[in-house]
Amino acid sequence: MSDEPPTPPADLPTEIVNTLNESDPEQLRDVATYAEALAEHKEREARLEESADQEEVEERPDDLPDDVPAKATITIKEINDNRYYYWQWRDGENIRSHYKGPVTDE
């Protein structure tokens, strides 16, 4: 091992480099562990967001209204002996519905 300290990456902000240089070895190991875990977390979030965006674009039905999420399914409700289609989806703990139209015999 060299007696010289390692050279920080050129794009690392000076304030971070200074803070790291002032840290003891245990703190540096904690920072390294945290930084690796945080990087993996952010990469995973970015992949999930990209996947959700692509899924929404690819699977969104043509007749789905703008205020209804792509994950909605169609259900049939019977009201006063008449049947109607509704878009339905979960929003947290709530079930949301949006009127689609009457069920026809076609």
Side-chain angles (χ1 to χ4, degrees):
M1 255 191 162
S2 171
D3 288 335
E4 295 295 318
T7 303
D11 59 345
L12 199 59
T14 303
E15 63 186 26
I16 292 175
V17 172
N18 291 341
T19 300
L20 293 174
N21 284 333
E22 295 168 1
S23 300
D24 63 46
E26 186 177 334
Q27 288 174 322
L28 290 171
R29 286 189 178 86
D30 289 345
V31 167
T33 302
Y34 171 71
E36 187 62 36
L38 183 60
E40 288 175 9
H41 172 76
K42 288 187 173 204
E43 288 169 345
R44 185 173 48 252
E45 277 189 336
R47 283 192 307 271
L48 289 173
E49 188 174 309
E50 182 179 308
S51 172
D53 290 347
Q54 287 176 350
E55 203 172 280
E56 187 172 329
V57 169
E58 293 170 5
E59 297 181 11
R60 190 169 182 86
D62 293 335
D63 62 342
L64 188 64
D66 290 338
D67 58 341
V68 174
K71 64 183 178 182
T73 59
I74 294 177
T75 59
I76 297 174
K77 293 184 181 184
E78 189 166 326
I79 303 170
N80 297 332
D81 294 326
N82 296 307
R83 293 167 34 132
Y84 303 95
Y85 288 117
Y86 282 84
W87 292 104
Q88 200 166 58
W89 66 96
R90 181 170 289 282
D91 182 14
E93 294 184 15
N94 299 315
I95 302 292
R96 303 280 185 214
S97 297
H98 182 88
Y99 177 74
K100 180 174 177 10
V103 175
T104 60
D105 293 334
E106 299 172 7

XYZ file of all heavy atoms in Angstrom:
864
model
N 0.834 -1.184 0.000
C 0.000 0.000 0.000
C 0.877 1.245 0.000
O 1.919 1.287 0.620
C -0.891 0.022 1.236
C -2.291 -0.319 0.943
S -3.342 0.042 2.351
C -4.833 0.039 1.467
N 0.392 2.262 -0.644
C 1.132 3.514 -0.740
C 0.943 4.346 0.516
O -0.062 4.250 1.212
C 0.621 4.287 -1.961
O 1.156 5.575 -1.968
N 1.947 5.161 0.804
C 1.850 6.072 1.945
C 1.055 7.323 1.589
O 0.741 8.125 2.471
C 3.252 6.484 2.421
C 3.962 5.326 3.119
O 3.263 4.428 3.638
O 5.205 5.331 3.147
N 0.768 7.493 0.307
C 0.009 8.657 -0.162
C -1.488 8.394 -0.018
O -1.961 7.291 -0.283
C 0.332 8.932 -1.639
C 1.771 9.331 -1.891
C 2.115 10.662 -1.254
O 1.293 11.595 -1.332
O 3.213 10.754 -0.651
N -2.263 9.418 0.381
C -3.726 9.234 0.447
C -4.294 9.079 -0.969
O -3.702 9.561 -1.938
C -4.220 10.520 1.111
C -3.135 11.513 0.922
C -1.854 10.748 0.794
N -5.424 8.395 -1.089
C -6.028 8.215 -2.414
C -6.486 9.546 -2.998
O -6.771 10.503 -2.271
C -7.213 7.292 -2.153
C -7.501 7.425 -0.699
C -6.218 7.797 -0.029
N -6.533 9.603 -4.316
C -6.995 10.805 -5.021
C -8.513 10.710 -5.182
O -9.016 9.714 -5.719
C -6.329 10.910 -6.405
O -4.916 10.901 -6.212
C -6.757 12.164 -7.131
N -9.261 11.716 -4.735
C -10.725 11.663 -4.871
C -11.137 11.839 -6.336
O -10.403 12.437 -7.132
C -11.207 12.835 -4.015
C -10.054 13.769 -3.955
C -8.822 12.934 -4.066
N -12.309 11.336 -6.693
C -12.810 11.558 -8.051
C -12.915 13.052 -8.337
O -13.273 13.844 -7.455
C -14.196 10.912 -8.038
C -14.182 9.970 -6.876
C -13.228 10.553 -5.886
N -12.614 13.446 -9.563
C -12.595 14.861 -9.946
C -13.963 15.523 -9.797
O -14.049 16.718 -9.500
C -12.092 15.003 -11.377
N -15.041 14.760 -9.995
C -16.383 15.368 -9.938
C -16.998 15.349 -8.538
O -18.131 15.783 -8.342
C -17.316 14.696 -10.938
C -17.476 13.201 -10.709
O -16.668 12.611 -9.967
O -18.420 12.620 -11.269
N -16.257 14.876 -7.544
C -16.754 14.883 -6.168
C -16.612 16.287 -5.585
O -15.530 16.870 -5.631
C -15.956 13.874 -5.327
C -16.581 13.401 -4.025
C -17.928 12.731 -4.265
C -15.650 12.438 -3.321
N -17.702 16.863 -5.055
C -17.631 18.221 -4.519
C -16.585 18.353 -3.408
O -16.401 17.448 -2.590
C -19.038 18.465 -3.958
C -19.915 17.514 -4.696
C -19.059 16.310 -4.975
N -15.906 19.492 -3.380
C -14.841 19.765 -2.413
C -15.317 19.618 -0.979
O -14.593 19.070 -0.130
C -14.286 21.191 -2.640
O -13.845 21.287 -3.988
C -13.130 21.490 -1.718
N -16.534 20.075 -0.678
C -17.026 19.985 0.702
C -17.162 18.524 1.154
O -16.902 18.202 2.312
C -18.345 20.736 0.873
C -19.488 20.183 0.038
C -20.735 21.038 0.110
O -20.631 22.242 0.355
O -21.824 20.465 -0.088
N -17.524 17.635 0.240
C -17.612 16.215 0.594
C -16.217 15.647 0.813
O -15.972 14.920 1.782
C -18.380 15.421 -0.485
C -19.855 15.851 -0.481
C -18.266 13.916 -0.257
C -20.702 15.238 -1.560
N -15.286 15.990 -0.081
C -13.905 15.529 0.066
C -13.336 15.991 1.407
O -12.725 15.213 2.146
C -13.026 16.016 -1.109
C -11.554 15.704 -0.855
C -13.490 15.392 -2.422
N -13.536 17.248 1.760
C -13.033 17.777 3.027
C -13.641 17.044 4.220
O -12.943 16.706 5.177
C -13.292 19.279 3.131
C -12.453 20.080 2.158
O -11.434 19.597 1.644
N -12.888 21.294 1.864
N -14.947 16.810 4.172
C -15.610 16.090 5.263
C -15.046 14.686 5.394
O -14.780 14.214 6.511
C -17.134 16.043 5.028
O -17.640 17.382 4.979
C -17.853 15.276 6.122
N -14.852 14.010 4.265
C -14.296 12.654 4.310
C -12.874 12.657 4.854
O -12.510 11.781 5.648
C -14.335 12.020 2.916
C -15.737 11.719 2.365
C -15.647 11.232 0.928
C -16.480 10.734 3.242
N -12.085 13.639 4.450
C -10.701 13.722 4.929
C -10.629 13.943 6.440
O -9.653 13.548 7.078
C -9.934 14.823 4.201
C -9.541 14.411 2.795
O -9.377 13.234 2.507
N -9.401 15.390 1.918
N -11.647 14.559 7.015
C -11.676 14.823 8.453
C -12.263 13.658 9.256
O -12.256 13.685 10.478
C -12.486 16.086 8.729
C -11.860 17.343 8.152
C -12.802 18.545 8.178
O -13.945 18.418 8.667
O -12.383 19.603 7.688
N -12.760 12.634 8.561
C -13.432 11.512 9.228
C -12.446 10.438 9.650
O -11.405 10.242 9.022
C -14.465 10.899 8.275
O -15.423 11.864 7.905
N -12.812 9.708 10.720
C -11.966 8.597 11.158
C -12.316 7.348 10.338
O -13.331 7.314 9.643
C -12.109 8.359 12.670
C -13.505 7.935 13.106
O -14.096 7.048 12.446
O -13.998 8.464 14.114
N -11.477 6.314 10.389
C -11.694 5.121 9.562
C -13.064 4.466 9.758
O -13.681 4.028 8.785
C -10.570 4.165 10.000
C -9.481 5.077 10.466
C -10.193 6.237 11.111
N -13.560 4.422 10.990
C -14.870 3.806 11.236
C -15.980 4.596 10.546
O -16.878 4.020 9.918
C -15.140 3.709 12.738
C -16.418 2.955 13.058
C -16.656 2.800 14.550
O -15.678 2.811 15.326
O -17.831 2.668 14.924
N -15.920 5.920 10.645
C -16.915 6.762 9.973
C -16.829 6.574 8.452
O -17.849 6.518 7.774
C -16.697 8.241 10.321
C -17.089 8.601 11.732
C -16.713 10.045 12.076
O -15.656 10.532 11.668
N -17.585 10.705 12.834
N -15.612 6.480 7.929
C -15.438 6.290 6.483
C -16.049 4.966 6.027
O -16.691 4.906 4.970
C -13.955 6.363 6.106
C -13.331 7.753 6.221
C -11.815 7.675 6.043
C -13.936 8.714 5.209
N -15.870 3.921 6.817
C -16.481 2.631 6.455
C -18.008 2.722 6.512
O -18.704 2.170 5.665
C -15.951 1.528 7.356
C -14.525 1.150 6.998
C -14.023 -0.086 7.727
N -12.677 -0.390 7.278
C -11.569 0.142 7.775
N -11.646 1.021 8.759
N -10.376 -0.192 7.312
N -18.536 3.433 7.513
C -19.986 3.637 7.599
C -20.496 4.426 6.397
O -21.540 4.100 5.822
C -20.357 4.362 8.895
C -20.190 3.499 10.138
O -20.070 2.256 10.003
O -20.172 4.078 11.245
N -19.760 5.461 6.009
C -20.137 6.269 4.842
C -20.123 5.402 3.588
O -21.029 5.470 2.757
C -19.199 7.492 4.677
C -19.378 8.149 3.321
C -19.460 8.501 5.788
N -19.091 4.565 3.442
C -18.988 3.696 2.267
C -20.169 2.728 2.193
O -20.776 2.550 1.130
C -17.666 2.932 2.290
N -20.517 2.124 3.327
C -21.654 1.197 3.374
C -22.949 1.920 3.028
O -23.761 1.437 2.230
C -21.757 0.552 4.777
O -20.531 -0.122 5.047
C -22.914 -0.422 4.857
N -23.148 3.076 3.634
C -24.353 3.868 3.372
C -24.410 4.318 1.920
O -25.452 4.217 1.270
C -24.402 5.083 4.305
C -25.506 6.047 3.949
C -26.834 5.724 4.160
C -25.216 7.282 3.367
C -27.854 6.600 3.815
C -26.227 8.161 3.020
C -27.541 7.815 3.244
O -28.539 8.684 2.890
N -23.300 4.809 1.389
C -23.272 5.302 0.011
C -23.609 4.180 -0.970
O -24.359 4.389 -1.933
C -21.908 5.918 -0.306
N -23.093 2.995 -0.749
C -23.379 1.855 -1.628
C -24.854 1.481 -1.556
O -25.508 1.268 -2.573
C -22.502 0.658 -1.244
C -22.606 -0.496 -2.201
C -22.163 -0.165 -3.618
O -21.205 0.617 -3.789
O -22.764 -0.705 -4.568
N -25.398 1.410 -0.346
C -26.819 1.078 -0.175
C -27.707 2.153 -0.804
O -28.710 1.841 -1.450
C -27.146 0.908 1.307
N -27.343 3.408 -0.619
C -28.131 4.507 -1.189
C -28.091 4.476 -2.717
O -29.110 4.678 -3.381
C -27.614 5.851 -0.661
C -28.378 7.096 -1.103
C -29.841 7.029 -0.663
C -27.710 8.346 -0.544
N -26.919 4.192 -3.284
C -26.794 4.112 -4.741
C -27.675 2.988 -5.285
O -28.391 3.176 -6.276
C -25.333 3.897 -5.128
N -27.670 1.831 -4.631
C -28.512 0.711 -5.068
C -29.984 1.063 -4.963
O -30.771 0.749 -5.851
C -28.204 -0.535 -4.235
C -26.861 -1.148 -4.553
C -26.499 -2.313 -3.637
O -27.370 -2.768 -2.859
O -25.347 -2.768 -3.712
N -30.370 1.738 -3.882
C -31.762 2.152 -3.691
C -32.210 3.099 -4.806
O -33.273 2.932 -5.394
C -31.914 2.816 -2.319
C -33.253 3.445 -2.103
N -34.384 2.714 -1.831
C -33.640 4.743 -2.145
C -35.410 3.538 -1.701
N -34.987 4.766 -1.889
N -31.389 4.099 -5.108
C -31.751 5.079 -6.138
C -31.794 4.431 -7.520
O -32.671 4.763 -8.332
C -30.779 6.257 -6.119
C -30.981 7.148 -4.909
C -30.138 8.393 -4.971
C -30.522 9.306 -3.816
N -30.207 10.679 -4.075
N -30.885 3.503 -7.798
C -30.913 2.798 -9.078
C -32.171 1.958 -9.199
O -32.812 1.925 -10.243
C -29.673 1.910 -9.223
C -28.404 2.696 -9.468
C -27.137 1.859 -9.340
O -27.197 0.730 -8.789
O -26.087 2.340 -9.782
N -32.553 1.278 -8.094
C -33.768 0.462 -8.096
C -35.002 1.331 -8.315
O -35.878 0.994 -9.105
C -33.858 -0.314 -6.770
C -35.012 -1.284 -6.694
C -34.985 -2.180 -5.444
N -34.746 -1.461 -4.206
C -33.617 -1.503 -3.497
N -32.609 -2.230 -3.896
N -33.493 -0.825 -2.376
N -35.073 2.471 -7.634
C -36.209 3.388 -7.821
C -36.294 3.870 -9.261
O -37.373 3.954 -9.831
C -36.075 4.591 -6.890
C -36.577 4.350 -5.499
C -36.624 5.637 -4.680
O -35.891 6.599 -4.985
O -37.402 5.667 -3.718
N -35.156 4.208 -9.853
C -35.134 4.684 -11.235
C -35.618 3.590 -12.179
O -36.388 3.858 -13.109
C -33.726 5.145 -11.615
N -35.194 2.346 -11.939
C -35.640 1.230 -12.788
C -37.140 1.022 -12.644
O -37.841 0.815 -13.631
C -34.903 -0.053 -12.422
C -33.490 -0.142 -12.946
C -32.923 -1.554 -12.810
N -33.014 -2.107 -11.470
C -32.102 -1.964 -10.524
N -31.003 -1.286 -10.762
N -32.266 -2.518 -9.331
N -37.648 1.067 -11.412
C -39.083 0.877 -11.189
C -39.893 1.988 -11.843
O -40.933 1.734 -12.446
C -39.388 0.810 -9.691
C -38.920 -0.446 -8.975
C -39.134 -0.312 -7.465
C -39.629 -1.673 -9.502
N -39.418 3.215 -11.725
C -40.119 4.343 -12.330
C -40.115 4.217 -13.854
O -41.134 4.421 -14.499
C -39.449 5.654 -11.911
C -40.214 6.888 -12.338
C -39.584 8.147 -11.784
O -39.340 8.207 -10.565
O -39.345 9.063 -12.598
N -38.980 3.853 -14.418
C -38.880 3.677 -15.868
C -39.785 2.545 -16.324
O -40.492 2.656 -17.318
C -37.432 3.371 -16.245
C -37.213 3.221 -17.740
C -35.752 2.949 -18.057
O -34.888 3.708 -17.586
O -35.489 1.968 -18.784
N -39.811 1.455 -15.561
C -40.645 0.310 -15.884
C -42.125 0.690 -15.829
O -42.901 0.332 -16.704
C -40.360 -0.821 -14.914
O -41.272 -1.873 -15.085
N -42.518 1.443 -14.801
C -43.913 1.872 -14.661
C -44.304 2.809 -15.790
O -45.407 2.709 -16.335
C -44.125 2.551 -13.314
N -43.417 3.715 -16.179
C -43.700 4.634 -17.286
C -43.898 3.868 -18.582
O -44.833 4.125 -19.337
C -42.577 5.658 -17.459
C -42.522 6.673 -16.334
O -43.500 6.746 -15.556
O -41.506 7.388 -16.234
N -43.031 2.900 -18.860
C -43.145 2.108 -20.081
C -44.409 1.272 -20.053
O -45.105 1.161 -21.050
C -41.925 1.195 -20.238
C -40.675 1.916 -20.628
C -39.470 0.994 -20.681
O -39.530 -0.155 -20.258
N -38.383 1.511 -21.204
N -44.717 0.685 -18.887
C -45.905 -0.140 -18.749
C -47.156 0.682 -19.017
O -48.050 0.251 -19.727
C -45.946 -0.700 -17.325
C -46.758 -1.945 -17.172
C -46.579 -2.522 -15.784
O -45.557 -3.185 -15.541
O -47.469 -2.278 -14.954
N -47.202 1.898 -18.468
C -48.365 2.750 -18.654
C -48.530 3.121 -20.116
O -49.628 3.106 -20.650
C -48.250 4.012 -17.798
C -49.501 4.854 -17.819
C -49.449 5.982 -16.816
O -48.826 5.830 -15.765
O -50.060 7.018 -17.115
N -47.447 3.428 -20.797
C -47.512 3.802 -22.211
C -47.936 2.610 -23.055
O -48.778 2.731 -23.929
C -46.133 4.332 -22.688
C -46.090 4.464 -24.187
C -45.834 5.662 -22.039
N -47.391 1.429 -22.770
C -47.651 0.254 -23.590
C -49.026 -0.350 -23.351
O -49.641 -0.866 -24.276
C -46.589 -0.808 -23.305
C -45.210 -0.397 -23.775
C -44.122 -1.340 -23.282
O -44.467 -2.367 -22.647
O -42.957 -1.047 -23.523
N -49.538 -0.310 -22.107
C -50.741 -1.050 -21.775
C -51.986 -0.181 -21.591
O -53.031 -0.699 -21.274
C -50.496 -1.857 -20.501
C -49.416 -2.903 -20.672
C -49.199 -3.720 -19.417
O -50.027 -3.615 -18.493
O -48.208 -4.435 -19.365
N -51.901 1.090 -21.797
C -53.042 1.968 -21.567
C -54.078 1.779 -22.684
O -53.782 2.038 -23.838
C -52.576 3.419 -21.507
C -53.650 4.359 -21.036
C -53.065 5.734 -20.729
N -54.078 6.610 -20.227
C -54.437 6.701 -18.964
N -53.851 5.953 -18.078
N -55.380 7.535 -18.579
N -55.268 1.313 -22.344
C -56.304 1.139 -23.362
C -56.680 2.466 -24.026
O -56.610 3.522 -23.398
C -57.494 0.577 -22.571
C -56.909 0.030 -21.314
C -55.698 0.858 -21.029
N -57.063 2.399 -25.290
C -57.401 3.603 -26.054
C -58.576 4.368 -25.451
O -58.628 5.588 -25.522
C -57.734 3.247 -27.506
C -56.520 2.735 -28.255
O -55.383 3.076 -27.861
O -56.709 1.994 -29.236
N -59.539 3.649 -24.862
C -60.735 4.317 -24.347
C -60.627 4.694 -22.872
O -61.601 5.109 -22.261
C -61.970 3.449 -24.585
C -61.897 2.103 -23.869
O -60.788 1.680 -23.478
O -62.954 1.459 -23.723
N -59.434 4.594 -22.302
C -59.244 4.926 -20.888
C -59.164 6.446 -20.713
O -58.313 7.091 -21.319
C -57.961 4.272 -20.373
C -57.694 4.345 -18.880
C -58.752 3.577 -18.102
C -56.328 3.756 -18.577
N -60.054 7.032 -19.900
C -60.012 8.480 -19.674
C -58.711 8.902 -19.003
O -58.066 8.113 -18.307
C -61.203 8.733 -18.735
C -62.085 7.542 -18.878
C -61.184 6.396 -19.223
N -58.323 10.159 -19.194
C -57.069 10.678 -18.645
C -57.006 10.605 -17.124
O -55.942 10.434 -16.552
C -56.847 12.131 -19.083
C -56.530 12.229 -20.563
O -56.074 11.226 -21.151
O -56.735 13.316 -21.127
N -58.153 10.748 -16.446
C -58.141 10.758 -14.979
C -58.277 9.361 -14.360
O -58.452 9.225 -13.162
C -59.222 11.697 -14.442
C -60.621 11.327 -14.912
O -60.756 10.588 -15.914
O -61.595 11.784 -14.288
N -58.162 8.313 -15.192
C -58.226 6.935 -14.706
C -56.863 6.297 -14.927
O -56.317 6.338 -16.027
C -59.323 6.148 -15.465
C -59.297 4.685 -15.062
C -60.691 6.753 -15.203
N -56.267 5.691 -13.871
C -54.935 5.095 -14.029
C -54.964 3.839 -14.898
O -55.990 3.165 -15.012
C -54.523 4.764 -12.596
C -55.783 4.691 -11.827
C -56.765 5.597 -12.501
N -53.823 3.508 -15.494
C -53.724 2.353 -16.385
C -54.001 1.037 -15.663
O -54.390 0.057 -16.291
C -52.347 2.323 -17.029
N -53.830 1.000 -14.350
C -54.056 -0.234 -13.596
C -55.540 -0.524 -13.374
O -55.880 -1.581 -12.835
C -53.332 -0.167 -12.251
C -53.867 0.922 -11.329
C -53.082 0.996 -10.059
C -53.598 2.127 -9.186
N -52.849 2.271 -7.962
N -56.434 0.361 -13.791
C -57.869 0.186 -13.576
C -58.393 -1.003 -14.376
O -57.889 -1.329 -15.447
C -58.616 1.455 -13.971
N -59.402 -1.658 -13.809
C -60.080 -2.740 -14.512
C -61.535 -2.351 -14.720
O -62.043 -1.439 -14.064
C -60.009 -4.059 -13.708
O -60.615 -3.839 -12.430
C -58.576 -4.514 -13.535
N -62.211 -3.044 -15.617
C -63.625 -2.747 -15.879
C -64.479 -3.687 -15.038
O -64.243 -4.892 -14.999
C -63.950 -2.917 -17.374
C -63.202 -1.862 -18.179
C -65.456 -2.816 -17.604
C -63.399 -1.978 -19.680
N -65.467 -3.108 -14.355
C -66.416 -3.902 -13.585
C -67.815 -3.534 -14.055
O -68.029 -2.498 -14.686
C -66.295 -3.634 -12.072
O -66.520 -2.251 -11.828
C -64.939 -4.028 -11.556
N -68.771 -4.416 -13.752
C -70.169 -4.160 -14.107
C -70.956 -4.006 -12.821
O -70.844 -4.838 -11.911
C -70.754 -5.311 -14.951
C -69.997 -5.411 -16.280
C -72.243 -5.109 -15.175
C -70.407 -6.602 -17.132
N -71.708 -2.919 -12.739
C -72.579 -2.697 -11.583
C -74.014 -2.699 -12.070
O -74.333 -2.167 -13.135
C -72.275 -1.343 -10.932
C -70.903 -1.264 -10.296
C -70.715 0.055 -9.588
C -69.335 0.137 -8.962
N -69.149 1.362 -8.196
N -74.889 -3.301 -11.265
C -76.311 -3.315 -11.594
C -77.035 -2.351 -10.673
O -76.941 -2.452 -9.449
C -76.892 -4.722 -11.451
C -78.297 -4.810 -11.993
C -78.764 -6.239 -12.184
O -77.944 -7.101 -12.531
O -79.971 -6.470 -11.982
N -77.721 -1.378 -11.285
C -78.446 -0.361 -10.533
C -79.858 -0.280 -11.105
O -80.039 -0.019 -12.307
C -77.748 1.013 -10.634
C -76.300 0.902 -10.130
C -78.528 2.078 -9.861
C -75.448 2.120 -10.402
N -80.866 -0.534 -10.274
C -82.272 -0.495 -10.698
C -82.514 -1.342 -11.951
O -83.112 -0.891 -12.930
C -82.735 0.942 -10.946
C -82.697 1.778 -9.696
O -82.840 1.270 -8.590
N -82.494 3.076 -9.860
N -82.041 -2.552 -11.944
C -82.173 -3.519 -13.044
C -81.477 -3.093 -14.329
O -81.740 -3.655 -15.398
C -83.658 -3.814 -13.336
C -84.332 -4.538 -12.178
O -83.648 -5.354 -11.516
O -85.529 -4.296 -11.939
N -80.617 -2.089 -14.266
C -79.804 -1.680 -15.416
C -78.352 -1.987 -15.100
O -77.912 -1.851 -13.960
C -79.979 -0.180 -15.707
C -81.395 0.140 -16.114
O -81.944 -0.455 -17.022
N -82.008 1.084 -15.411
N -77.591 -2.384 -16.132
C -76.186 -2.735 -15.924
C -75.288 -1.678 -16.568
O -75.545 -1.229 -17.683
C -75.906 -4.121 -16.506
C -76.649 -5.190 -15.731
C -76.676 -6.534 -16.416
N -75.476 -6.828 -17.163
C -74.785 -7.952 -17.101
N -75.191 -8.907 -16.317
N -73.714 -8.149 -17.820
N -74.218 -1.313 -15.828
C -73.304 -0.257 -16.277
C -71.854 -0.706 -16.104
O -71.521 -1.389 -15.144
C -73.519 1.031 -15.460
C -74.924 1.545 -15.526
C -75.845 1.214 -14.542
C -75.341 2.363 -16.573
C -77.147 1.675 -14.600
C -76.645 2.833 -16.643
C -77.542 2.479 -15.656
O -78.838 2.941 -15.718
N -71.012 -0.270 -17.047
C -69.575 -0.498 -16.932
C -68.952 0.643 -16.133
O -69.299 1.813 -16.335
C -68.892 -0.505 -18.309
C -69.170 -1.717 -19.148
C -69.846 -1.593 -20.362
C -68.719 -2.981 -18.770
C -70.073 -2.693 -21.162
C -68.948 -4.091 -19.571
C -69.624 -3.939 -20.760
O -69.854 -5.023 -21.551
N -68.019 0.287 -15.261
C -67.236 1.269 -14.508
C -65.763 0.872 -14.561
O -65.430 -0.315 -14.485
C -67.661 1.306 -13.028
C -68.936 2.055 -12.783
C -70.168 1.447 -12.937
C -68.909 3.395 -12.387
C -71.352 2.136 -12.709
C -70.075 4.090 -12.147
C -71.290 3.459 -12.314
O -72.451 4.148 -12.090
N -64.904 1.876 -14.699
C -63.475 1.651 -14.471
C -63.326 1.629 -12.965
O -63.926 2.446 -12.262
C -62.639 2.805 -15.029
C -62.659 2.891 -16.526
C -63.355 3.767 -17.296
C -61.937 2.061 -17.436
N -63.112 3.535 -18.622
C -62.240 2.495 -18.735
C -61.057 0.992 -17.272
C -61.694 1.892 -19.866
C -60.519 0.399 -18.395
C -60.838 0.849 -19.673
N -62.521 0.714 -12.440
C -62.353 0.631 -10.986
C -60.886 0.337 -10.660
O -60.233 -0.448 -11.347
C -63.246 -0.480 -10.436
C -63.523 -0.367 -8.965
C -64.660 -1.280 -8.557
O -64.585 -2.483 -8.762
N -65.703 -0.717 -7.975
N -60.367 1.009 -9.617
C -58.981 0.813 -9.210
C -58.833 1.124 -7.737
O -59.675 1.760 -7.127
C -58.036 1.691 -10.046
C -58.208 3.158 -9.831
C -57.486 3.960 -8.995
C -59.179 4.021 -10.438
N -57.939 5.249 -9.057
C -58.981 5.327 -9.938
C -60.204 3.830 -11.364
C -59.763 6.406 -10.327
C -60.986 4.902 -11.751
C -60.757 6.177 -11.229
N -57.738 0.647 -7.168
C -57.430 0.899 -5.752
C -56.559 2.148 -5.670
O -55.602 2.303 -6.402
C -56.705 -0.294 -5.151
C -56.390 -0.100 -3.683
C -55.900 -1.371 -3.042
N -56.944 -2.374 -2.894
C -57.886 -2.365 -1.949
N -57.915 -1.379 -1.075
N -58.776 -3.312 -1.878
N -56.905 3.028 -4.738
C -56.141 4.252 -4.475
C -55.841 4.258 -2.976
O -56.661 4.715 -2.183
C -56.954 5.472 -4.894
C -56.202 6.781 -4.708
O -54.979 6.743 -4.512
O -56.852 7.843 -4.769
N -54.684 3.684 -2.616
C -54.381 3.508 -1.195
C -55.324 2.472 -0.614
O -55.422 1.362 -1.127
N -56.061 2.852 0.414
C -57.026 1.932 1.018
C -58.408 2.062 0.396
O -59.321 1.314 0.739
C -57.099 2.180 2.522
C -55.822 1.830 3.248
C -55.946 1.991 4.756
O -57.083 2.094 5.255
O -54.900 2.032 5.417
N -58.598 3.005 -0.527
C -59.905 3.256 -1.128
C -60.028 2.605 -2.494
O -59.052 2.461 -3.214
C -60.130 4.763 -1.277
C -60.107 5.478 0.059
O -60.715 5.018 1.020
N -59.411 6.578 0.121
N -61.254 2.243 -2.850
C -61.573 1.766 -4.192
C -62.225 2.937 -4.926
O -63.197 3.517 -4.443
C -62.552 0.565 -4.162
C -61.975 -0.583 -3.359
C -62.926 0.142 -5.573
C -60.777 -1.243 -3.979
N -61.676 3.296 -6.077
C -62.213 4.396 -6.881
C -62.925 3.822 -8.099
O -62.530 2.783 -8.628
C -61.088 5.318 -7.341
C -60.257 5.889 -6.228
C -60.950 7.052 -5.590
N -60.068 7.642 -4.595
C -60.491 8.183 -3.486
N -61.769 8.239 -3.225
N -59.635 8.691 -2.628
N -63.953 4.518 -8.555
C -64.697 4.109 -9.747
C -64.913 5.306 -10.649
O -64.988 6.453 -10.191
C -66.067 3.537 -9.359
O -65.920 2.373 -8.594
N -65.019 5.026 -11.965
C -65.295 6.071 -12.951
C -66.260 5.460 -13.964
O -65.981 4.395 -14.537
C -63.991 6.506 -13.630
C -64.156 7.594 -14.628
N -64.098 8.913 -14.277
C -64.377 7.558 -15.951
C -64.271 9.651 -15.361
N -64.446 8.845 -16.391
N -67.392 6.094 -14.194
C -68.417 5.600 -15.109
C -67.859 5.454 -16.518
O -67.204 6.346 -17.029
C -69.610 6.551 -15.091
C -70.710 6.179 -16.055
C -71.549 5.104 -15.776
C -70.890 6.891 -17.226
C -72.552 4.757 -16.648
C -71.893 6.555 -18.116
C -72.728 5.489 -17.827
O -73.721 5.145 -18.706
N -68.123 4.328 -17.157
C -67.695 4.082 -18.541
C -68.876 4.132 -19.494
O -68.795 4.740 -20.544
C -66.975 2.748 -18.639
C -66.489 2.399 -20.039
C -65.673 1.130 -20.016
C -65.189 0.614 -21.338
N -65.309 1.382 -22.494
N -69.970 3.454 -19.150
C -71.140 3.465 -20.022
C -72.052 2.298 -19.728
O -71.718 1.404 -18.954
N -73.228 2.264 -20.377
C -74.166 1.174 -20.141
C -73.692 -0.119 -20.804
O -72.999 -0.091 -21.816
C -75.470 1.674 -20.764
C -75.037 2.617 -21.823
C -73.759 3.246 -21.314
N -74.077 -1.237 -20.213
C -73.821 -2.534 -20.832
C -74.888 -2.728 -21.893
O -76.087 -2.606 -21.616
C -73.874 -3.667 -19.774
C -73.734 -5.027 -20.429
C -72.820 -3.471 -18.699
N -74.446 -2.987 -23.110
C -75.412 -3.198 -24.208
C -75.455 -4.683 -24.564
O -74.578 -5.460 -24.191
C -75.006 -2.384 -25.442
O -73.714 -2.797 -25.861
C -75.006 -0.897 -25.139
N -76.468 -5.093 -25.300
C -76.644 -6.488 -25.689
C -75.716 -6.899 -26.823
O -75.679 -8.066 -27.196
C -78.098 -6.750 -26.093
C -79.041 -6.635 -24.901
O -78.576 -6.847 -23.765
O -80.219 -6.309 -25.103
N -74.965 -5.979 -27.391
C -74.095 -6.272 -28.527
C -73.013 -7.240 -28.191
O -72.314 -7.216 -27.280
C -73.466 -4.981 -29.054
C -74.480 -4.005 -29.536
C -73.841 -2.668 -29.855
O -72.603 -2.532 -29.827
O -74.589 -1.731 -30.139
